[in-house]
Amino acid sequence: MDNLTQLFVEAGTLMLAGMVFVFAFLGILIIFINKVLLKLAIKFPDPIIQSKPQRKTNKTNVEKGGISPPVVAAISSAVSQYRQQHSKNK
Amino acid sequence: MESLHILWMSTGLANFELGQVIMMLVGCLLLFLAIAKNFEPLLLLPMGFGAILTNIPVAGFSEVGGLLHYIYYAGIDTGIFPLLIFMGVGAMTDFGALIANPKTLFLGAAAQFGIFATLFGAIALNAIPGFEFTLKDASAIAIIGGADGPTAIFLASKLAPELLGAIAVAAYSYMALVPIIQPPIMRALTTEDERKIEMAQLRHVTKIEKVIFPLGVLLMTIFFLPAATPLVGMFCLGNLMKECGVVDRLSSTAQNELINIVTIFLGLGVGSKLSAEAFLNVETLGILALGAVAFSIGTASGVLMAKFMNKVSKEKVNPLIGAAGVSAVPMAARVANKVGLESNPHNFLLMHAMGPNVAGVLGSAVAAGILLALVG
């Protein structure tokens, strides 16, 4: 029984020391990442790979299958005009 | 007539003992789990086959002069195989998620409580007649909670080689059972709202950070815990080969051909320890039970730590990612992601969970180093 108690005491000490050490070790690693690696990342950023400039195209929205801005403006104006007239008639 | 008798006595049928038959069935069970259930098949298959080979009567696979005997002593007794596997794991590990969110290292640290709490459990089992675990045995058993196969085999081969077979079987079986063991614990310890938490997107990690990181980890291990340098050193070597970008061939070999070859021999070597006299005893049952306890406590402490961090931290932390702190890369991270998706189908936690997941690998290697330094 004494032997078992002794083993429990040793296991408890081991648990306490082990958990404190694991947290301390990984805590220092957090400091290392925040203080050293982050500064290195700011000082030496990854080189930006220049992508090939795309050819300028003069395609309008109409050509892409959309609606050109002047047409949208004309429709919006017509809709608001209609709504105004409609509300007055009421 | 006498020659017929000699011939009969040289057959397996005449020499089989009940224990050997049972251990062959255990080997077949491992093969079944590997092939039919896909439970860690890369290791359980050679391990199961090794168990069958080592229990063949007369053949003497595990006796001096036998193949498995030499495989065990060349690769496992010396610690070479687990360390080579660790190098390969390092070459496959991306620390990007961890570097982008370094506080997840605390989750990896908290999950190691499973290891140290199981130490208590192993010692407590000594109160039951039939169990006589020393502190070395208890430490080797407790490392199952690290959910890291190579670390468990490395430590068991150093501290309690006679328990290696049972410890390896327990470690790999429970690693395969992570998707079954973890979710109920995760759900029990978190609320629906906590599981829905969406985390901020991780920042971009530069190449120089990834190259310097393994060197920094190694330097810290050299300063503070040289006993862990075999494990951490090989892990960092593999990771540096991957990240530096100038030795792609070596990196590719470490994470493919080399790790595959070593896995075959590691499995066979561990299987050679699955003999009837070493495995068929009440202590094996204790080890299997303690392994489950270790996994559960590790998962729970990771989740509770993540809950605590969510309370005190400015940025939100989904407590589910804490469960990934038990190592078991990448299975535990996938489980965290899956459980998170059940509560919030738009919440992908995989990358966030990879941080504590790789932190768990480092944490369990550090814990193994501590146990080696204090008990070994």
Side-chain angles (χ1 to χ4, degrees):
Chain A
M1 196 63 195
D2 280 350
N3 187 33
L4 193 62
T5 314
Q6 175 69 23
L7 278 175
F8 267 124
V9 172
E10 284 182 43
T13 314
L14 204 57
M15 182 168 88
L16 196 69
M19 283 312 290
V20 168
F21 196 92
V22 169
F23 268 98
F25 189 93
L26 297 182
I28 296 170
L29 203 53
I30 293 176
I31 297 169
F32 169 74
I33 293 171
N34 284 333
K35 299 289 174 191
V36 180
L37 292 188
L38 204 57
K39 281 182 185 164
L40 279 173
I42 294 164
K43 204 168 182 182
F44 304 101
D46 279 347
I48 299 161
I49 300 160
Q50 293 276 332
S51 56
K52 282 185 180 176
Q54 287 185 340
R55 274 187 181 178
K56 280 186 181 176
T57 52
N58 292 324
K59 280 182 181 174
T60 61
N61 283 335
V62 179
E63 285 169 302
K64 288 177 190 170
I67 304 164
S68 66
V71 175
V72 173
I75 292 171
S76 309
S77 150
V79 169
S80 70
Q81 223 171 11
Y82 169 80
R83 279 183 182 157
Q84 275 174 357
Q85 283 173 357
H86 197 69
S87 63
K88 275 174 194 172
N89 289 343
K90 273 190 174 177
Chain B
M1 193 63 192
E2 194 182 332
S3 55
L4 268 178
H5 179 72
I6 294 169
L7 189 63
W8 167 247
M9 288 312 290
S10 65
T11 63
L13 288 171
N15 288 282
F16 260 127
E17 290 168 14
L18 182 64
Q20 290 170 327
V21 177
I22 294 171
M23 285 315 295
M24 281 188 165
L25 291 175
V26 170
C28 289
L29 176 69
L30 294 179
L31 290 180
F32 170 76
L33 291 174
I35 297 166
K37 299 287 176 186
N38 211 25
F39 280 8
E40 294 286 338
L42 292 176
L43 209 92
L44 285 193
L45 192 139
M47 202 189 288
F49 210 85
I52 294 173
L53 292 181
T54 202
N55 286 289
I56 297 173
V58 186
F61 270 99
S62 298
E63 291 161 14
V64 179
L67 174 68
L68 298 185
H69 171 84
Y70 290 119
I71 289 177
Y72 177 82
Y73 281 97
I76 296 178
D77 192 45
T78 57
I80 291 174
F81 288 165
L83 294 179
L84 288 177
I85 297 263
F86 227 55
M87 182 175 74
V89 173
M92 287 192 270
T93 302
D94 184 356
F95 280 111
L98 177 68
I99 298 169
N101 191 6
K103 64 174 182 285
T104 55
L105 274 161
F106 280 138
L107 300 177
Q112 305 316 313
F113 186 64
I115 294 175
F116 294 105
T118 308
L119 243 173
F120 254 91
I123 297 297
L125 274 184
N126 284 345
I128 302 170
F131 290 98
E132 281 179 17
F133 290 132
T134 63
L135 203 58
K136 281 186 178 183
D137 295 342
S139 304
I141 295 164
I143 201 70
I144 297 172
D148 196 311
T151 306
I153 292 173
F154 180 76
L155 199 71
S157 68
K158 299 288 173 201
L159 297 182
E162 69 284 356
L163 301 177
L164 178 71
I167 289 172
V169 167
Y172 279 98
S173 303
Y174 290 128
M175 275 164 63
L177 291 174
V178 159
I180 296 165
I181 296 173
Q182 285 198 318
I185 300 167
M186 293 157 83
R187 289 191 199 103
L189 294 175
T190 54
T191 63
E192 181 71 13
D193 286 341
E194 283 173 331
R195 292 197 289 274
K196 282 181 180 168
I197 291 175
E198 291 186 20
M199 294 176 66
Q201 198 176 354
L202 297 173
R203 72 171 174 86
H204 171 71
V205 175
T206 61
K207 185 183 172 182
I208 194 161
E209 288 177 277
K210 288 185 176 180
V211 172
I212 298 293
F213 182 78
L215 294 171
V217 172
L218 179 63
L219 199 66
M220 278 181 54
T221 317
I222 292 168
F223 285 153
F224 301 117
L225 194 60
T229 42
L231 280 167
V232 177
M234 293 304 279
F235 188 75
C236 290
L237 169 63
N239 192 248
L240 184 64
M241 289 196 294
K242 172 184 183 279
E243 298 297 352
C244 71
V246 294
V247 287
D248 285 344
R249 280 165 51 192
L250 301 188
S251 169
S252 170
T253 301
Q255 57 184 289
N256 293 294
E257 294 86 353
L258 185 60
I259 201 169
N260 290 341
I261 292 166
V262 175
T263 300
I264 295 171
F265 290 123
L266 184 75
L268 283 172
V270 171
S272 76
K273 283 283 156 185
L274 294 176
S275 60
E277 58 270 25
F279 196 83
L280 292 180
N281 52 50
V282 70
E283 288 187 341
T284 299
L285 290 177
I287 290 168
L288 291 173
L290 285 168
V293 171
F295 257 68
S296 306
I297 295 176
T299 304
S301 44
V303 172
L304 292 174
M305 184 69 184
K307 274 172 81 102
F308 173 72
M309 283 171 65
N310 185 45
K311 290 264 189 298
V312 298
S313 166
K314 275 184 268 178
E315 289 171 4
K316 290 197 165 186
V317 178
N318 190 314
L320 293 178
I321 69 166
V326 296
S327 196
V329 183
M331 186 89 84
R334 284 188 194 147
V335 169
N337 186 54
K338 188 168 170 275
V339 178
L341 282 172
E342 285 169 9
S343 296
N344 180 356
H346 307 292
N347 195 10
F348 292 93
L349 293 170
L350 188 64
M351 279 316 290
H352 298 289
M354 281 310 289
N357 213 190
V358 294
V361 178
L362 284 178
S364 54
V366 170
I370 293 166
L371 292 173
L372 264 181
L374 297 181
V375 184

